[in-house]
Amino acid sequence: MKKLLVLLLFSFIIGCASTENIISDYDETVDFNKYSTFVICIDDLFVENTTFPKYDNNKIRSFISDAIELQMIAFGYKTNVLEPELQAGFKLIVEEKEATFKNCDIEDELHYWHECTINTEIYTTETLIIYVSDFKMNQIIWQASIECDMNKSGANLQAYIKELVIKLFKEYPRSKK
C-alpha cells in the first residue's frame, strides 16, 4: 500500500513539474519586414502589482525592458523615440491562487481512514507577456506569453529574464538580421 502511495506521489510531482508552454500569436496580414524602427513602451516600466514586490518591481521591469530592446535590435530594428513604427512592451501578470489538498491517514490496510484533514495552500503564479504593436494603427501585431518565476536573486534574475525573452522572441515572425 505504501509503495502505491509513493508511486502516486511521484506521479503527482512529475505531473506538476514546470513546463515552458509558450503561447504566441501574430497578425498574418502584416509584413513584419516593412518596419525598421521601434520604441519601448514607457508605461510598461511602471510597477503594477504593488502587493507583490518580490515578483514585480522596478529592477525586474528594467531587466525585461532591456532584454526586449536587445531582441528588437537583434531583429534589425533601430530605436527611434520621435517617429517609431513599432512599439514593443510587456505585461507582467501576478496572481495569487489557492489549492486544497486532502491528507488522509490510514489506520491500517483493512480499515477506513482514521483521520482526514484538508490543507489549503496559497501560491503565486506569474506570466510574462511580450507584445509588439504597430504604432500608427495602435494595434498589437504579435504577442507571446510564458509562465515564469521572478522571485530570484540579483544576478540569476537578470540572466533568467534575458533567457525568457529570448525564448519568447523565437516565436517572432521575422528572421534575425
Side-chain angles (χ1 to χ4, degrees):
M1 186 70 160
K2 287 187 179 186
K3 288 181 182 179
L4 178 62
L5 188 59
V6 169
L7 182 61
L8 287 173
L9 181 61
F10 180 75
S11 297
F12 177 76
I13 291 170
I14 296 299
C16 291
S18 169
T19 58
E20 295 187 353
N21 291 330
I22 295 175
I23 300 171
S24 177
D25 195 16
Y26 68 96
D27 186 341
E28 294 178 8
T29 64
V30 172
D31 177 10
F32 285 80
N33 294 316
K34 75 177 183 178
Y35 301 104
S36 61
T37 61
F38 79 99
V39 67
I40 297 291
C41 181
I42 299 299
D43 291 341
D44 294 342
L45 296 175
F46 297 110
V47 175
E48 294 177 0
N49 302 294
T50 56
T51 55
F52 301 102
K54 290 182 181 178
Y55 305 98
D56 187 0
N57 56 54
N58 289 327
K59 182 196 264 186
I60 288 172
R61 288 184 173 267
S62 176
F63 289 159
I64 295 170
S65 175
D66 292 347
I68 291 172
E69 184 173 10
L70 286 174
Q71 286 302 299
M72 291 296 286
I73 291 169
F75 276 94
Y77 300 116
K78 292 181 176 43
T79 304
N80 185 336
V81 178
L82 299 177
E83 294 182 30
E85 296 168 313
L86 297 174
Q87 176 174 268
F90 64 94
K91 181 116 175 118
L92 185 58
I93 300 171
V94 182
E95 297 177 310
E96 204 169 70
K97 294 187 177 183
E98 188 175 285
T100 304
F101 303 96
K102 288 185 180 179
N103 182 10
C104 297
D105 295 328
I106 299 173
E107 192 170 295
D108 62 39
E109 290 185 21
L110 302 173
H111 293 90
Y112 292 104
W113 292 284
H114 175 68
E115 176 185 355
C116 276
T117 58
I118 297 177
N119 299 327
T120 302
E121 297 290 329
I122 296 175
Y123 63 98
T124 305
T125 63
E126 303 149 74
T127 305
L128 175 61
I129 304 168
I130 296 177
Y131 67 88
V132 174
S133 61
D134 183 301
F135 199 78
K136 287 182 183 170
M137 291 189 324
N138 194 27
Q139 174 184 335
I140 293 176
I141 58 174
W142 172 79
Q143 68 180 12
S145 66
I146 190 170
E147 289 185 12
C148 56
D149 178 13
M150 297 298 178
N151 190 17
K152 298 192 178 299
S153 64
N156 294 336
L157 177 63
Q158 188 171 13
Y160 174 72
I161 289 173
K162 186 176 180 181
E163 181 182 318
L164 279 177
V165 172
I166 289 170
K167 285 179 185 177
L168 290 173
F169 267 94
K170 285 183 180 177
E171 303 294 318
Y172 194 73
R174 177 177 170 173
S175 58
K176 287 188 177 185
K177 288 187 174 184

